[in-house]
């Protein structure tokens, strides 16, 4: 597995260039930077100029803080009971999603006294997942005592259908978010994720929060991918089987070689996040030759039909490109019946990981 840190940095710059002056491009590095490795990716992004980061869990924030002492770090899930002092000790800014979190952070600020504590406020405009219900947000705007001791630095909402520009919910959410934001003057406003950054200038506000696009997932699924690929995954062939009498391949005997067939067995399986749903649907590339995945994906192995390849190409030690320039994350995801996000965040810990561009990132930092 090769991660191109220069490509990640280039993607951030490309997204940043879409923003009007005065608007900032953050980076979402939750889930270990979508599986790419936050320990490498986040410093590369910081070296590229990114100053604001988002994680989901407070533990992710603590780890990120140890790498990046001087950036802003927001924690999407907000302060769970008992974590308040971790936020403070590591200078993490909680995203407050619900009345109990506002109360908790406010109580903590009151106990502490001193300077107000920073917070982001998340209002829900169409996900019904995290965030204050719009009515609660408006009630809070009318009665601000609950915000005593707090300094709101960001007002955010999250789009449900940004990858579908024609979906009417995009405009509805924009309208509702704008109405609520008008009642909270002061904090920066943030609505767009990766795909949201391609909906138009109205969605950009003061801060954009891209994740997937940084890592090369296409934020505009109906159009060519404007982002650079960042991950290359190659599976090593560890055995080649010559089949000359009809027989089946793999668990469940779901693929049957009717005649002569050459099967390359690659040391990658569903335990590595090479999803089992790819069985008899996936494919890879041996050089420039597309080779179909045949049979089921096993825990540690996958089998490819390399009958069309020259013998000296399909040999133990050769590699099959599973993700790369010929077979994108999005193409693999389509074969697996999922999205690029799930492919990346499933990338396993058994891969030999190589980071390119790293040295340059460190030199710039
Ligand atoms: C994960 C997440 C993002 C990033 O979304 P992408 O689609 O990966 O760009 C932004 N905002 C919130 C609230 C998120 O949970």
């Amino acid at each position: 597995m090769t991660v191109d840190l220069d490509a990640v940095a280039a993607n951030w710059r490309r997204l940043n260039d879409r923003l009007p002056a005065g608007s900032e491009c953050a980076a979402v590095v939750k889930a270990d930077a979508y599986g790419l490795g936050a320990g490498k990716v986040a410093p590369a992004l910081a070296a590229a100029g990114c100053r604001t980061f988002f994680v989901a869990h407070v533990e992710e924030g603590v780890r990120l803080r140890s790498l990046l002492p001087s950036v802003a770090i927001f924690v999407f899930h907000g302060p769970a009971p008992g974590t308040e002092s971790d936020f403070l000790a590591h200078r993490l800014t909680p995203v407050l999603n619900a009345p109990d979190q506002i109360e908790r952070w406010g109580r903590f600020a009151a106990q502490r006294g001193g300077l107000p504590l920073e917070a982001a406020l998340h209002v829900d405009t169409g996900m019904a997942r995290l965030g204050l219900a719009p009515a609660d947000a408006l009630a809070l705007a009318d009665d601000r005592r609950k915000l005593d001791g707090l300094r709101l630095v960001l007002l955010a909402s999250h789009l449900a259908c940004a990858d579908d520009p024609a979906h009417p919910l995009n405009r509805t959410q924009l309208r509702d978010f704008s109405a609520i934001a008008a009642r909270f003057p002061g904090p920066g406003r943030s609505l767009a994720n990766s795909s949201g950054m391609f909906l138009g200038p109205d969605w950009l506000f003061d801060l954009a929060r891209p994740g997937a696009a940084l890592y090369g997932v296409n934020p505009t699924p109906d159009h060519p991918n404007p982002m650079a690929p960042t991950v290359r995954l190659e599976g090593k062939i560890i055995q080649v089987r010559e089949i000359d009498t009809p027989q089946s391949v793999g668990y469940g005997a779901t693929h049957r070689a009717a005649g002569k067939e050459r099967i390359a067995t690659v040391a990658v399986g569903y335990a590595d996040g090479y999803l089992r749903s790819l069985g008899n649907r996936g494919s890879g590339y041996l050089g420039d030759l597309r080779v179909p995945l045949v049979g089921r994906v096993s825990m540690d192995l996958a089998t490819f039909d390399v009958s069309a390849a020259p013998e000296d190409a399909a040999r133990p030690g050769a590699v099959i490109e599973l993700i790369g320039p010929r077979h994108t994350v999005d193409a693999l995801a389509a074969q697996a019946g999922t999205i690029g996000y799930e492919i990346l965040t499933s990338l396993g810990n058994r891969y030999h990981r190589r980071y390119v561009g790293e040295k340059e990132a460190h030199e710039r930092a």
Side-chain angles (χ1 to χ4, degrees):
M1 173 175 162
T2 307
V3 178
D4 186 344
L5 296 173
D6 288 340
V8 175
N11 284 339
W12 182 82
R13 279 190 221 99
R14 200 170 295 178
L15 292 171
N16 189 42
D17 287 347
R18 300 184 64 80
L19 296 175
S23 183
E24 185 188 349
C25 190
V28 179
V29 295
K30 63 192 178 186
D32 203 22
Y34 290 45
L36 273 64
K40 301 281 190 186
V41 164
L45 286 165
C50 182
R51 287 288 161 265
T52 300
F53 292 80
F54 287 85
V55 294
H57 294 272
V58 65
E59 292 84 354
E60 295 178 320
V62 171
R63 235 170 290 135
L64 187 60
R65 176 57 77 209
S66 70
L67 297 168
L68 299 174
S70 60
V71 300
I73 301 175
F74 289 92
V75 178
F76 280 135
H77 289 1
T83 62
E84 299 90 334
S85 52
D86 293 329
F87 278 86
L88 195 63
H90 300 278
R91 290 173 288 121
L92 309 174
T93 308
V95 177
L96 305 177
N97 296 290
D100 69 305
Q101 292 193 333
I102 296 171
E103 257 167 56
R104 186 171 306 122
W105 196 235
R107 215 180 312 122
F108 185 62
Q111 283 163 7
R112 237 183 103 253
L115 291 176
L117 293 182
E118 293 195 348
L121 187 66
H122 180 189
V123 295
D124 173 44
T125 54
M127 290 284 282
R129 191 179 69 167
L130 286 181
L132 281 186
D136 289 342
L138 295 173
L140 183 66
D142 286 337
D143 175 6
R144 304 208 165 209
R145 280 170 302 179
K146 291 204 172 71
L147 296 173
D148 283 350
L150 305 184
R151 191 164 82 83
L152 282 190
V153 293
L154 191 70
L155 184 75
S157 192
H158 192 49
L159 296 166
C161 305
D163 59 344
D164 178 5
H167 201 293
L169 193 48
N170 291 316
R171 273 209 172 272
T172 306
Q173 288 194 266
L174 174 62
R175 182 197 64 205
D176 293 351
F177 179 65
S178 302
I180 293 167
R183 307 289 304 280
F184 287 93
R189 297 155 301 161
S190 177
L191 182 58
N193 66 334
S194 297
S195 294
M197 295 185 73
F198 292 82
L199 289 175
D202 290 351
W203 278 264
L204 296 174
F205 291 99
D206 304 305
L207 184 87
R209 312 184 305 271
L214 295 171
Y215 312 118
V217 173
N218 188 355
T220 58
D222 296 333
H223 298 278
N225 192 349
M227 312 316 299
T230 66
V231 175
R232 186 176 182 127
L233 182 65
E234 295 164 301
K236 192 178 282 179
I237 298 175
I238 57 174
Q239 185 173 332
V240 177
R241 277 292 310 274
E242 304 276 351
I243 294 176
D244 41 25
T245 51
Q247 78 160 99
S248 65
V249 176
Y251 285 123
T254 62
H255 172 75
R256 190 159 180 83
K260 272 173 118 44
E261 212 163 90
R262 261 174 37 252
I263 302 295
T265 302
V266 164
V268 171
Y270 62 74
D272 303 298
Y274 193 70
L275 302 179
R276 191 167 175 277
S277 53
L278 289 164
N280 290 310
R281 292 166 182 275
S283 60
Y285 279 82
L286 183 63
D288 287 324
L289 179 71
R290 184 181 181 278
V291 289
L293 189 154
V294 292
R296 286 192 184 149
V297 175
S298 311
M299 186 184 292
D300 321 296
L301 299 167
T303 41
F304 292 83
D305 179 355
V306 295
S307 307
E311 223 162 284
D312 59 338
R315 56 177 163 72
V319 293
I320 293 182
E321 178 183 301
L322 306 175
I323 299 172
R326 297 173 192 79
H327 199 44
T328 64
V329 167
D330 295 300
L332 184 69
Q335 291 176 332
T338 183
I339 53 176
Y341 294 66
E342 192 178 27
I343 296 290
L344 291 184
T345 55
S346 300
L347 288 167
N349 293 318
R350 288 198 295 184
Y351 296 132
H352 174 74
R353 287 184 177 220
R354 202 165 64 94
Y355 289 85
V356 300
E358 180 185 7
K359 203 183 288 154
E360 299 89 320
H362 279 295
E363 276 162 14
R364 280 196 303 268

